[in-house]
Amino acid sequence: MNKSICTALLVCALSVAANAQQCNCPENFDYVVQKLEMNYARFPDKVPASEKKAYARLKAKTERKARKAATTDSCAEVITGWLNTFHDGHVYLSPQDKAAPKPLTPAVVKQPNLARLDEQTALLVLPSFSIRHIKAIDSLVAAFKDSPTPQLIIDIRGNGGGGDRPYFGLLPLMYTRPYEVHGVEFLASEDNIANFEALLQEEIPANTRKVVEELVATLKARPGQFVPFGEEKSVATYESVSKTPVRIAVIQDQKCASAAEQFLLYALQSDKVTTFGTSNTKGALDYANVTELPLPSMPYLVGIPSSRSTRLPETSVDKAGIAPEVKLPKHLEDPVSYIKGYLKAEAQLP
């Protein structure tokens, strides 16, 4: 064989071996398994005693796949496949971008928007409940209050969640009777505690800091246990019912998840609101407050929910998502116009 070809093949083989060693998939998979078993608030429910043998077999099968994964990409595929068996939208493997985050522009991220469709109807589009949208959504809610309409359509299609604070301004508009509110329970693991301690190193409001400090102290006092945060079940009330809007429609789809689903749970408690959609939501709300941990030798983060809702086990969102009250035809070209007409007919408006 030609000497130069032999040299090239040797260099190539050494390069592949170096990449495989650098990835060390078995190490990364074992790390993910360990961290998930220690920190996942759903793990005790997902893997009860009756399922431990099946879980062990699946883990051993995935370990064999990990030993064969020679690249970072193939290893990420193996780990993601295993995480997907938990069927939890808050359990994930995500690339870790070490570069400074670039500012997001309207061309990259869809922005909240308010439009007046006619004298009776306004349309509020909320593609995300990201905390970066708090000011924008508050401003749009204020604009609606300044020039209200009897009907309001809130379009949250494609909204994968974010935080609860962005939609708080809408709760008084939807309010007709006390909202039922459920708390959460945090799993007091070392990593989950460290996640909150890291938050205390950031600039956060004084009232938020006090709450987090108290939570950290409680978690440290009860290691390995589930610690209640907030009341198991309570009610939230407002002084009065807003005169406008009179009727509210919320449009949902299968991509609505997390905070968007929590918003829907509030909306469904209002006598003003009717929800519309072609399908149920994604179902990713029961286990939340994700702790992200970097893998030892891969540029990835594993996301693990640290809390579970006190709605469980009686009321689960993750099992089937949230169904719309009015099922829309799948091939409807203009859902907004359809819903506008639906609301007018219901109110007998011209």
Side-chain angles (χ1 to χ4, degrees):
M1 185 181 290
N2 185 288
K3 184 177 180 181
S4 61
I5 295 177
C6 289
T7 303
L9 289 173
L10 179 60
V11 170
C12 181
L14 289 173
S15 176
V16 170
N19 287 335
Q21 181 64 32
Q22 185 179 5
C23 172
N24 196 344
C25 194
E27 176 193 34
N28 287 287
F29 175 66
D30 288 345
Y31 174 88
V32 170
V33 169
Q34 176 192 11
K35 293 301 182 182
L36 187 131
E37 292 177 354
M38 291 172 55
N39 302 302
Y40 187 20
R42 191 181 185 182
F43 190 78
D45 300 324
K46 192 68 177 177
V47 188
S50 60
E51 297 293 330
K52 286 191 180 294
K53 288 185 178 180
Y55 171 73
R57 288 195 297 270
L58 176 62
K59 188 164 62 171
K61 181 180 179 180
T62 310
E63 285 172 347
R64 291 192 293 272
K65 290 182 180 179
R67 287 195 291 270
K68 296 178 181 179
T71 66
T72 297
D73 288 345
S74 60
C75 185
E77 186 176 341
V78 169
I79 295 174
T80 298
W82 183 73
L83 292 176
N84 287 344
T85 64
F86 289 91
H87 303 289
D88 188 330
H90 282 138
V91 173
Y92 57 84
L93 189 71
S94 174
Q96 183 178 10
D97 185 6
K98 296 182 180 180
K102 297 179 181 179
L104 296 170
T105 65
V108 177
V109 177
K110 293 182 179 179
Q111 300 296 306
N113 183 55
L114 176 67
R116 195 180 186 94
L117 302 181
D118 56 32
E119 290 302 311
Q120 284 83 35
T121 313
L123 171 66
L124 178 61
V125 180
L126 301 174
S128 168
F129 285 135
S130 167
I131 57 173
R132 70 170 63 92
H133 293 325
I134 290 175
K135 290 183 179 180
I137 295 175
D138 284 350
S139 177
L140 295 177
V141 171
F144 175 82
K145 289 180 178 179
D146 289 340
S147 183
T149 55
Q151 301 182 158
L152 175 63
I153 299 174
I154 303 174
D155 188 349
I156 62 169
R157 286 176 293 176
N159 189 323
D164 294 322
R165 172 59 185 85
Y167 63 71
F168 277 2
L170 289 167
L171 297 183
L173 293 181
M174 299 192 301
Y175 180 78
T176 57
R177 50 194 165 92
Y179 290 117
E180 186 177 281
V181 182
H182 289 85
V184 298
E185 296 175 318
F186 284 99
L187 178 58
S189 67
E190 290 185 8
D191 290 319
N192 292 339
I193 293 171
N195 189 43
F196 284 110
E197 288 181 320
L199 180 61
L200 293 173
Q201 303 305 312
E202 301 178 12
E203 292 186 12
I204 55 177
N207 57 344
T208 302
R209 179 175 296 278
K210 182 180 179 181
V211 170
V212 175
E213 287 174 343
E214 291 175 353
L215 176 60
V216 167
T218 306
L219 292 173
K220 285 185 174 181
R222 298 175 60 181
Q225 299 180 44
F226 279 97
V227 177
F229 180 71
E231 296 182 43
E232 181 176 338
K233 186 177 180 180
S234 60
V235 293
T237 60
Y238 292 89
E239 291 183 359
S240 61
V241 175
S242 177
K243 293 181 179 180
T244 53
V246 179
R247 291 164 297 281
I248 301 174
V250 178
I251 318 177
Q252 64 179 68
D253 65 8
Q254 72 278 9
K255 294 182 180 179
C256 290
S258 195
E261 291 175 305
Q262 183 59 57
F263 172 74
L264 282 168
L265 291 182
Y266 284 120
L268 289 168
Q269 297 181 56
S270 170
D271 297 328
K272 290 184 179 185
V273 177
T274 304
T275 62
F276 297 78
T278 57
S279 63
N280 289 16
T281 58
K282 183 176 181 179
L285 180 63
D286 296 342
Y287 301 86
N289 293 292
V290 174
T291 293
E292 287 190 329
L293 300 168
L295 271 60
S297 59
M298 284 174 59
Y300 282 81
L301 297 169
V302 59
I304 303 171
S306 64
S307 71
R308 66 185 181 191
S309 172
T310 55
R311 287 182 286 99
L312 302 171
E314 288 78 12
T315 307
S316 172
V317 170
D318 289 11
K319 286 182 179 179
I322 300 172
E325 292 178 300
V326 177
K327 192 89 176 274
L328 296 175
K330 287 187 177 180
H331 303 294
L332 191 63
E333 290 186 6
D334 189 353
V336 172
S337 293
Y338 176 89
I339 292 169
K340 183 177 71 170
Y342 183 103
L343 294 178
K344 284 186 176 182
E346 193 176 55
Q348 297 182 344
L349 292 173

